[in-house]
Amino acid sequence: ETGVTQSPTHLIKTRGQQVTLRCSSQSGHNTVSWYQQALGQGPQFIFQYYREEENGRGNFPPRFSGLQFPNYSSELNVNALELDDSALYLCASSLDGANYGYTFGSGTRLTVV
Amino acid sequence: GESVGLHLPTLSVQEGDNSIINCAYSNSASDYFIWYKQESGKGPQFIIDIRSNMDKRQGQRVTVLLNKTVKHLSLQIAATQPGDSAVYFCAENSYQGGKLIFGQGTELSVKP
């Protein structure tokens, strides 16, 4: 059984640029949730994807968008990057839209300069 | 509102002692709670969970206590080991689109 894998592990972008982060869900999981974790804080929910559709969204602007593919992998896209977008972006997979039984990946560390 | 931490509380214990980490949750309607451990450079790792119809649940060296009256969770770690050093987060479920709401986290430091 494979866990959740995220790529890349680290990324540096310039303010105003766009970024795409990728997540492969754990084998058998069909739901992917994305979280942003600023330094010294708990993860904040961005959105969840289930059956290739957005299944709930947190308090993040529209420039944060996502996709889920038929193989249940997912992408997080952020447009017009701002300095405050610098954070650890975590992906978690689960089953059938649940928010229990999460398995988290190790995250992508995004630095915006 | 949602719980957002700005300054990470710290707990320092001696190896072999018991540790107690506390958490206040925000939504009285939440019915599922989880404790996570996060080591540096890694994602949160599940430790133990509890549903709102229970007051206590035990795992291997860990116990979670739930007090719904005051919206309080605690994690007890018995015989704390250096490998337990990490940041610990509590999280509550929310039926608002399947999200988890995380607490601010507590950094546990174990002295050998």
Side-chain angles (χ1 to χ4, degrees):
Chain A
E1 179 179 284
T2 58
V4 175
T5 57
Q6 293 187 241
S7 63
T9 54
H10 296 82
L11 200 53
I12 300 175
K13 288 286 191 179
T14 304
R15 188 172 50 182
Q17 285 188 314
Q18 178 266 344
V19 69
T20 297
L21 311 181
R22 294 178 175 82
C23 172
S24 293
S25 60
Q26 177 174 301
S27 178
H29 283 180
N30 57 14
T31 302
V32 172
S33 303
W34 286 92
Y35 287 78
Q36 180 195 66
Q37 186 175 24
L39 200 61
Q41 297 186 23
Q44 295 287 301
F45 178 76
I46 303 175
F47 42 55
Q48 182 184 81
Y49 276 83
Y50 172 52
R51 292 182 175 176
E52 301 178 50
E53 293 191 357
E54 189 177 286
N55 182 43
R57 187 180 183 91
N59 188 26
F60 281 82
R63 60 190 184 84
F64 286 77
S65 63
L67 284 174
Q68 186 179 34
F69 300 99
N71 67 353
Y72 308 128
S73 67
S74 177
E75 287 182 354
L76 164 65
N77 300 289
V78 187
N79 294 323
L81 283 166
E82 301 177 359
L83 297 180
D84 284 349
D85 296 332
S86 296
L88 181 68
Y89 288 85
L90 294 162
C91 167
S93 72
S94 60
L95 191 59
D96 294 340
N99 54 19
Y100 54 85
Y102 269 22
T103 301
F104 279 91
S106 293
T108 294
R109 172 70 64 186
L110 173 65
T111 302
V112 182
V113 297
Chain B
E2 297 186 3
S3 302
V4 177
L6 296 177
H7 301 285
L8 211 56
T10 58
L11 174 65
S12 183
V13 302
Q14 207 67 37
E15 181 179 359
D17 287 351
N18 296 333
S19 302
I20 299 176
I21 300 172
N22 296 303
C23 175
Y25 63 90
S26 57
N27 187 350
S28 57
S30 294
D31 67 353
Y32 176 66
F33 305 89
I34 314 108
W35 279 100
Y36 287 97
K37 172 186 181 183
Q38 188 174 25
E39 296 174 285
S40 181
K42 296 184 179 180
Q45 177 187 357
F46 173 90
I47 302 173
I48 191 168
D49 58 3
I50 188 168
R51 296 206 175 269
S52 60
N53 60 353
M54 302 173 70
D55 297 324
K56 178 180 179 179
R57 189 165 187 226
Q58 290 184 290
Q60 186 178 15
R61 279 203 307 120
V62 294
T63 301
V64 54
L65 299 177
L66 174 62
N67 185 331
K68 296 181 287 294
T69 303
V70 294
K71 295 191 289 185
H72 184 268
L73 271 173
S74 69
L75 176 70
Q76 300 177 0
I77 304 174
T80 313
Q81 302 168 0
D84 295 326
S85 294
V87 177
Y88 289 81
F89 291 98
C90 66
E92 60 188 291
N93 78 331
S94 164
Y95 285 109
Q96 299 170 13
K99 69 178 178 180
L100 286 176
I101 301 171
F102 282 79
Q104 67 178 131
T106 296
E107 183 172 9
L108 176 65
S109 175
V110 182
K111 300 176 182 176

